Amino acid sequence: MREPWPEGNTADPEAARERYLSDLRAERKALREVIRADLPAAHLGLGVVTAASAGAGVFAGPVAGALVAGCFAALFLAAWAVMLLRGIRGLEAGRRAYLFTFGWANWL
C-alpha cells in the first residue's frame, strides 16, 4: 500500500528528498550531542579503570589486575591505530583514542 505524499499528487520528489536529508542531518546532530564525550569524563573513566584494576589486583590477584589494565591498554592502542590509519596525526589522534577508550564514564 502506498502512502500519499503530504503535498498531494503533485509532489516534488526533489523537495521531498531535501526535506528527508534535512531531517536526517538534524537527527544525526542531536545524536552526536547526546553521545559526545569530553575530557573530564574520560579522566573519570581512566580513574575508574585504575581503581578497578587495583581492586582486581588486591582481591583476585595481580594477574587479574594486569588483565583489566591490559585490556583497556589494548583498546586504547587499537583506537589509536585506527586514528592513524584514518589520517589523524599527533596529539589529536591520541586525544580521540583516549576519548573513545575512557569517555564512557560520561554515563556514570
Side-chain angles (χ1 to χ4, degrees):
M1 177 177 183
R2 291 180 73 180
E3 291 187 30
W5 290 82
E7 295 89 6
N9 292 336
T10 59
D12 180 18
E14 191 60 39
R17 182 177 296 113
E18 188 57 40
R19 187 176 61 247
Y20 169 76
L21 292 176
S22 172
D23 290 346
L24 191 62
R25 279 191 296 270
E27 183 179 337
R28 287 180 179 170
K29 181 179 179 185
L31 182 62
R32 277 193 306 270
E33 289 298 319
V34 167
I35 64 172
R36 183 176 306 267
D38 53 353
L39 279 177
H43 295 331
L44 177 63
L46 178 62
V48 168
V49 168
T50 303
S53 178
V58 168
F59 294 113
V63 174
L67 184 64
V68 171
C71 287
F72 277 95
L75 179 61
F76 174 78
L77 291 175
W80 191 28
V82 167
M83 294 302 147
L84 292 176
L85 288 173
R86 289 184 64 202
I88 301 168
R89 298 282 185 245
L91 291 176
E92 183 64 18
R95 186 184 74 79
R96 288 187 184 190
Y98 181 71
L99 286 173
F100 177 79
T101 306
F102 301 108
W104 50 264
N106 203 21
W107 295 282
L108 289 181

